[in-house]
């Protein structure tokens, strides 16, 4: 018996990196998983991994920044599994520049993906959660649900060259605390995980210039080798975290042991904070 047997978990950005690790960890503990990714192939690959291990999952590819995405994502999960117990707002990326070199669209892009997308998803989810919670309370069988928003140490302490990303991730903290107060009456725990340096394709140490394609834009990724080594030297544990360690922080807020924890931010950063 897994801790999350019969639960339905929705995870954005679940096709790669931390999101993939979150999907696999929740599924390994019994959850049925609704896997989103910007691209269909990685989302489908994660679904196949879960199914091959005996679990259940469905892919919902698409951009979380599309105005209709929140409604479409929630509907797809309800159509597939008929329920909603966990929502992990993980999708995102960085697009860095100093403020004097940052146009409006670069700033707006970070707000859209890290803040507005979770807002739309949870607004859509409210149309299921609120009536379901009322019915469960009337029947004398309350169900505790979980929301885990993803922030960063850049959001808790700021970071040079990331005014857009840091602003969005800081706003996620306030969004989390506000929703925890709104949704407590519906037995929903709303928490936040703020990651430090986690080894993914976005933070890979390399002196070669690399990019990823995000909605038609080529976005630079990775860190110069010396820069990454410098960051790791500032981490008390002396290294970047793994995606599995990052997923562990999310998992802590999803299992029943955290049922009376809400409105909190957990820093998963090896002892480092900005």
């Amino acid at each position: 018996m897994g801790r999350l047997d019969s639960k339905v978990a929705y995870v954005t950005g679940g096709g790669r990196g931390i999101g993939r690790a979150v999907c696999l960890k929740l599924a390994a503990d019994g959850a049925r998983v609704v896997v989103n990714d910007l691209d269909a192939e990685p989302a489908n690959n994660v679904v196949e991994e879960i199914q091959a291990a005996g679990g259940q999952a469905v892919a919902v590819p698409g951009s979380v920044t599309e105005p209709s995405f929140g409604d479409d994502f929630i509907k797809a999960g309800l159509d597939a599994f008929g329920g909603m117990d966990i929502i992990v707002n993980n999708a995102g990326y960085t697009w860095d520049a100093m403020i004097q070199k940052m146009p409006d669209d670069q700033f707006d892009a970070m707000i859209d993906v890290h803040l507005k997308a979770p807002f739309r998803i949870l607004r859509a989810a409210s149309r299921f959660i609120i009536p379901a919670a009322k019915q469960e309370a009337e029947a004398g069988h309350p169900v505790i649900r979980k929301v885990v928003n993803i922030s960063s140490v850049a959001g808790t302490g700021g970071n040079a060259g990331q005014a857009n990303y840091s602003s969005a991730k800081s706003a996620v903290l306030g969004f989390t605390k506000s929703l925890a107060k709104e949704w407590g009456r519906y037995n929903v725990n709303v928490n936040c995980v703020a990651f430090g340096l986690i080894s993914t394709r976005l933070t890979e140490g390399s002196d070669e210039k690399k990019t990823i394609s995000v909605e038609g834009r080529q976005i630079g990724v990775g860190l110069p080798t010396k820069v990454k080594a410098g960051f790791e030297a500032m981490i008390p544990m002396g290294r970047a975290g793994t995606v599995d360690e990052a997923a562990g922080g999310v998992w802590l807020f999803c299992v029943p042991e955290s049922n009376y924890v809400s409105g909190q931010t957990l820093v998963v950063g090896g002892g480092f904070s900005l």
Side-chain angles (χ1 to χ4, degrees):
M1 294 290 290
R3 286 180 173 84
L4 302 176
D5 281 354
S6 80
K7 302 296 185 183
V8 180
Y10 296 65
V11 183
T12 64
R16 302 178 175 92
I18 295 170
R20 173 181 172 274
V22 169
C23 289
L24 296 179
K25 190 165 186 66
L26 298 182
D29 220 354
R32 294 168 287 171
V33 187
V34 184
V35 183
N36 158 261
D37 198 85
L38 181 61
D39 303 311
E41 183 177 1
N44 288 328
N45 289 343
V46 172
V47 168
E48 290 171 6
E49 283 187 76
I50 291 171
Q51 292 174 339
Q56 298 181 60
V58 62
V60 185
S63 172
V64 297
T65 63
E66 287 294 323
S68 65
F69 177 82
D71 291 320
D72 296 342
F73 185 46
I74 297 303
K75 182 178 184 302
L78 291 175
D79 288 347
F81 298 125
M84 179 191 307
D85 300 282
I86 298 165
I87 300 174
V88 181
N89 285 305
N90 169 76
Y93 61 100
T94 58
W95 189 8
D96 301 347
M98 294 298 184
I99 192 168
Q100 68 270 21
K101 297 181 179 179
M102 185 180 294
D104 285 1
D105 66 332
Q106 190 169 354
F107 188 89
D108 293 343
M110 295 294 95
I111 300 298
D112 288 345
V113 71
H114 294 290
L115 181 62
K116 198 166 186 178
F119 159 72
R120 285 172 170 159
I121 290 166
L122 296 175
R123 181 177 60 186
S126 71
R127 300 179 190 119
F128 172 84
I129 289 173
I130 293 173
K134 290 179 179 178
Q135 291 173 6
E136 291 153 2
E138 289 171 1
H141 298 290
V143 174
I144 295 180
R145 295 181 169 87
K146 310 281 188 166
V147 172
V148 185
N149 295 320
I150 302 302
S151 186
S152 164
V153 293
T156 61
N159 197 28
Q162 293 189 318
N164 52 355
Y165 179 74
S166 297
S167 295
K169 287 304 194 184
S170 182
V172 168
L173 306 180
F175 179 52
T176 297
K177 289 182 179 295
S178 294
L179 201 58
K181 292 180 177 179
E182 287 189 25
W183 280 9
R185 72 191 73 179
Y186 305 121
N187 291 309
V188 183
N189 302 147
V190 187
N191 291 294
C192 184
V193 175
F195 293 127
L197 182 61
I198 306 296
S199 290
T200 69
R201 63 180 180 149
L202 301 182
T203 61
E204 179 185 3
S206 175
D207 293 321
E208 176 186 348
K209 288 188 176 181
K210 297 183 179 181
T211 63
I212 59 171
S213 178
V214 180
E215 299 180 334
R217 300 185 180 105
Q218 292 300 309
I219 307 296
V221 296
L223 296 168
T225 304
K226 289 184 178 180
V227 172
K228 184 170 184 180
F231 279 135
E232 289 184 319
M234 292 188 291
I235 299 170
M237 291 186 69
R239 61 175 177 83
T242 68
V243 293
D244 290 331
E245 289 169 331
V250 175
W251 175 87
L252 289 172
F253 281 139
C254 295
V255 293
E257 285 80 353
S258 61
N259 279 357
Y260 199 59
V261 179
S262 195
Q264 304 304 306
T265 297
L266 172 67
V267 176
V268 179
F272 174 78
S273 61
L274 289 170

